[in-house]
Amino acid sequence: MAPHYKLVLTTCENQDVARQLAKQLITQKLAACVNILPAVESVYMWQNEVVQQTETKLFIKTKSEKINKMIQTIKELHSYEVPEIQVVDVTAGNLAYFHWLDEVLN
């Protein structure tokens, strides 16, 4: 199976912001499903300082042809100056799930 399906990872400052972003991605048919993990501890370097904070993690399921628009939309809607946006190829999985994903994102 070619990497036709993608998993996009991002973080948000809290659950409310994550829910709003998820709803926009679903409404615009850029994602078929978004899983929201309410609390992840993040430690990172920002402006020469170590930052430690609780964030909300999103796992976004989509198709290759939606990626460019999704990245643009996340950047436009995100509250962070430099949002995390990582795109992972999905190379195998449940074919029935992928058929559902195709139906939802048509």
Side-chain angles (χ1 to χ4, degrees), residues 90-106:
V90 176
T91 59
N94 180 356
L95 291 179
Y97 181 83
F98 297 137
H99 292 305
W100 168 79
L101 207 145
D102 287 335
E103 287 176 25
V104 170
L105 293 177
N106 277 337

Side-chain angles (χ1 to χ4, degrees), residues 5-100:
Y5 303 99
K6 305 291 184 182
L7 176 64
V8 179
L9 307 173
T10 193
T11 52
C12 292
E13 62 188 281
N14 61 50
Q15 260 187 296
D16 291 335
V17 172
R19 286 182 186 124
Q20 290 172 0
L21 179 58
K23 287 178 185 176
Q24 282 296 317
L25 295 175
I26 296 294
T27 301
Q28 294 181 34
K29 290 195 161 236
L30 296 174
C33 177
V34 180
N35 299 117
I36 301 172
L37 279 68
V40 295
E41 190 71 18
S42 298
V43 180
Y44 56 91
M45 186 66 72
W46 182 251
Q47 298 178 341
N48 296 319
E49 292 189 29
V50 175
V51 178
Q52 182 173 353
Q53 72 179 60
T54 301
E55 296 180 292
T56 300
K57 187 80 168 182
L58 281 74
F59 291 78
I60 307 162
K61 287 68 162 261
T62 194
K63 295 167 63 170
S64 298
E65 61 264 23
K66 306 284 186 174
I67 289 300
N68 290 336
K69 178 66 175 161
M70 178 182 291
I71 290 171
Q72 176 186 343
T73 300
I74 291 172
K75 286 179 176 180
E76 289 171 1
L77 298 176
H78 212 286
S79 61
Y80 290 172
E81 184 179 334
V82 181
E84 169 195 359
I85 303 172
Q86 297 180 47
V87 180
V88 180
D89 289 339
V90 176
T91 59
N94 180 356
L95 291 179
Y97 181 83
F98 297 137
H99 292 305
W100 168 79

